[in-house]
């Protein structure tokens, strides 16, 4: 194919302001997982305006915009997530969240905007031959029973066949417009463990009459750190983080119970299974040694995200064509964060990639985070070129 006919970043210059405005509108009106009604309506209206056939309410607030060009039977899926997070925004931006305690702190507003930019460009150029499915997904941040799972349960790939599927996430700490790829395991499985330590309350001055769940919980936090260091092969990757510990309400009262919320990350199924086995055993025995009782709720979350090799190599080559090899990092990672895009990759080949959000920028899930609008024309051009290459138009 003649690369001169393929999309360039400069081709998006005339619509950048339009797409940036959409991104900032979404940012100003964030919606939590499974509540993306207005965001989905905005996306659907734009897609229909540009000539896409839109199917709504897939897996809840999910939708698919479909555009068919030519006669080829090939098809491709591109996915963007739409939900926000329960975080109080502290950016001070003129387009900051207007919904107290909710903000786009992970850049899903930007992911949606980049895909809409590609939709706008592909609809007006139609430089491909086949079926394009743009998947706008709810509830990526849900952790369990997420938007990807719900869309798949609603027959996503049966209703909208995709030979391959691709997705993208921004990455603070790397220069904007830099693309990152890794074949194979790329992002971790994530499980959540909720532990309730049941003791016996007492007056703070009479600790001998209690079974102190606070002391038990504090000791358990330290003991849990040995699960990885003394059970997992040091050549493997695993993380156990106690993200929340709650107990009591007063300094002179030993409470009845304490609760811990734990995040567990891994990259291999056998490591994942071993982590669960050792955490359950350690928690039960350790808490029992203090005379307390443990109630364990072990919740399996997103699986390991595994990129297929051929599609990752293809996606990397498109990025190198578009921005040059100096703006591509491959291999990159692995990343201990998790993504429900992993469920799509269990059913179809594809690639989930990253694009830099800027060096020195606030991390994801941070109250000061904002998506870098410089990525909008770059990301939209990347998606456009990837479709043009994957669904290459026949000459003549």
């Amino acid at each position: 194919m003649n690369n001169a006919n393929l999309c360039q970043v400069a081709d998006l210059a005339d619509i950048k302001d339009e797409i940036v405005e959409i991104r900032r509108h979404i940012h100003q009106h964030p919606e939590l997982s499974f509540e993306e009604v207005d965001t989905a309506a905005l996306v659907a209206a734009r897609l229909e305006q540009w000539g896409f056939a839109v199917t709504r309410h897939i897996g809840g607030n999910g939708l698919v915009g479909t555009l068919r060009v030519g006669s080829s039977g090939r098809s491709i899926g591109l996915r963007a997530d739409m939900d926000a997070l329960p975080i109080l925004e502290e950016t001070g931006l003129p387009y900051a969240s207007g919904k107290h305690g909710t903000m786009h702190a992970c850049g899903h507003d930007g992911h949606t905007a980049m895909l809409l930019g590609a939709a706008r460009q592909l609809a007006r150029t139609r430089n491909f031959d086949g079926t394009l499915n743009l998947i706008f997904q709810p509830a990526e941040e849900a952790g369990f029973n997420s938007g990807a799972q719900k869309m798949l349960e609603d027959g996503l790939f049966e209703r909208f066949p995709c030979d391959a599927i691709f997705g993208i996430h921004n990455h603070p700490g790397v220069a904007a417009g830099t693309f990152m790829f890794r074949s194979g395991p790329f992002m971790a499985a994530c499980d959540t463990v909720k532990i309730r330590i049941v003791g016996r309350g007492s007056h703070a001055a009479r600790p001998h009459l209690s079974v102190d769940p606070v002391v038990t919980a504090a000791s358990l936090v330290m003991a849990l750190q040995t699960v990885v260091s003394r059970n997992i092969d040091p050549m493997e990757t695993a993380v156990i983080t106690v993200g929340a510990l709650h107990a009591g309400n007063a300094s002179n009262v030993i409470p009845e119970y304490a609760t811990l919320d734990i995040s567990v990350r891994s990259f291999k199924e056998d490591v994942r299974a071993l982590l669960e086995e050792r955490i359950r055993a350690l928690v039960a025995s350790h808490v029992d040694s203090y005379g307390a009782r443990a109630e364990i709720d072990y919740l399996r979350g997103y699986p390991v995200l595994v990129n297929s090799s051929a599609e990752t190599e293809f996606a990397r080559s498109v990025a190198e064509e578009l921005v040059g090899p100096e703006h591509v990092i491959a291999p990159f990672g692995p990343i201990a964060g998790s993504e429900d895009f992993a469920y799509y990759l269990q059913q179809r080949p594809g690639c989930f990639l990253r694009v830099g959000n800027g060096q020195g920028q606030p991390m994801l899930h941070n109250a000061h985070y904002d998506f870098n609008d410089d990525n909008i024309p770059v990301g939209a051009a990347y998606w456009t070129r990837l479709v043009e290459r994957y669904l290459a138009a026949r000459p003549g």
Side-chain angles (χ1 to χ4, degrees):
M1 174 179 284
N2 183 356
N3 284 353
N5 296 327
L6 298 176
C7 183
Q8 308 290 334
V9 176
D11 296 338
L12 280 294
D14 64 321
I15 63 171
K16 177 183 177 181
D17 290 346
E18 175 188 359
I19 306 302
V20 167
E21 182 180 351
I22 292 173
R23 199 285 289 187
R24 294 184 177 184
H25 175 87
I26 295 172
H27 186 95
Q28 197 167 17
H29 301 85
E31 296 173 300
L32 296 174
S33 296
F34 299 115
E35 299 177 6
E36 312 90 344
V37 175
D38 292 340
T39 305
L42 182 154
V43 169
R46 291 299 179 127
L47 291 175
E48 287 177 335
Q49 177 185 336
W50 299 331
F52 282 77
V54 176
T55 306
R56 296 168 171 80
H57 307 301
I58 306 170
N61 294 317
L63 62 95
V64 174
T66 301
L67 186 65
R68 295 182 177 86
V69 176
S71 57
S72 171
R74 287 176 58 78
S75 59
I76 187 174
L78 306 181
R79 174 272 213 168
D81 36 21
M82 300 186 292
D83 56 329
L85 285 158
I87 295 175
L88 178 63
E89 182 163 354
E90 298 179 12
T91 62
L93 293 165
Y95 52 87
S97 171
K99 186 179 296 184
H100 186 80
T102 303
M103 74 170 288
H104 273 288
C106 202
H108 296 187
D109 52 340
H111 304 162
T112 296
M114 288 190 295
L115 194 53
L116 283 174
R120 180 83 168 88
Q121 179 68 9
L122 286 160
R124 66 182 182 175
T125 61
R126 297 180 175 243
N127 184 30
F128 65 93
D129 184 10
T131 300
L132 168 63
N133 293 311
L134 302 185
I135 301 162
F136 291 87
Q137 180 202 303
E140 187 280 325
E141 300 288 0
F144 307 93
N145 297 318
S146 71
Q149 291 170 280
K150 294 297 185 184
M151 292 189 82
L152 288 168
E153 289 169 5
D154 216 357
L156 177 67
F157 289 140
E158 291 74 25
R159 298 163 66 183
F160 307 95
C162 298
D163 295 330
I165 186 166
F166 299 85
I168 197 167
H169 202 293
N170 74 96
H171 193 95
V174 176
T178 299
F179 290 88
M180 292 150 273
F181 302 88
R182 185 179 186 86
S183 181
F186 186 28
M187 298 184 69
C190 177
D191 300 325
T192 298
V193 191
K194 296 181 178 294
I195 299 170
R196 180 182 170 97
I197 298 172
V198 182
R200 183 170 65 248
S202 180
H203 194 290
R206 297 178 178 84
H208 62 291
L209 301 177
S210 76
V211 174
D212 193 336
V214 179
V215 172
T216 306
S219 176
L220 179 60
V221 170
M222 299 307 297
L224 283 165
Q225 306 311 306
T226 66
V227 172
V228 173
S229 65
R230 290 299 176 266
N231 292 272
I232 305 302
D233 185 331
M235 302 308 293
E236 303 291 353
T237 299
V239 177
I240 296 176
T241 296
V242 179
L245 194 167
H246 298 284
N249 297 294
S251 63
N252 62 346
V253 177
I254 295 174
E256 289 283 334
Y257 63 87
T259 60
L260 291 81
D261 288 350
I262 303 171
S263 181
V264 182
R265 313 278 173 147
S266 57
F267 285 89
K268 289 184 178 179
E269 190 56 39
D270 59 340
V271 173
R272 190 181 193 184
L274 179 58
L275 286 167
E276 179 175 357
E277 175 189 331
R278 295 307 305 141
I279 288 171
R280 284 184 179 276
L282 184 146
V283 170
S285 61
H286 197 85
V287 170
D288 180 70
S289 74
Y290 280 81
R293 174 171 56 86
E295 299 171 353
I296 305 169
D297 189 9
Y298 207 105
L299 305 171
R300 285 231 165 184
Y302 302 162
V304 179
L305 185 150
V306 183
N307 283 328
S308 50
S309 57
E311 284 70 24
T312 301
E313 174 60 23
F314 167 74
R316 181 201 60 78
S317 70
V318 172
E320 290 194 351
E321 287 178 6
L322 182 71
V323 298
E326 67 274 18
H327 298 295
V328 173
I329 304 173
F332 183 84
I335 297 170
S338 303
E339 244 286 348
D340 73 345
F341 194 86
Y343 292 111
Y344 299 128
L345 292 173
Q346 289 181 334
Q347 298 196 17
R348 295 293 185 276
C351 175
F352 191 73
L353 58 131
R354 312 280 286 198
V355 62
N357 201 56
Q359 294 171 329
Q361 296 301 307
M363 190 55 190
L364 304 171
H365 294 214
N366 183 296
H368 298 277
Y369 169 89
D370 187 36
F371 182 83
N372 192 329
D373 285 334
D374 289 342
N375 272 331
I376 288 178
V378 179
Y382 175 78
W383 280 144
T384 302
R385 181 179 279 240
L386 184 130
V387 171
E388 290 172 337
R389 288 262 274 106
Y390 194 85
L391 302 177
R394 296 172 180 173

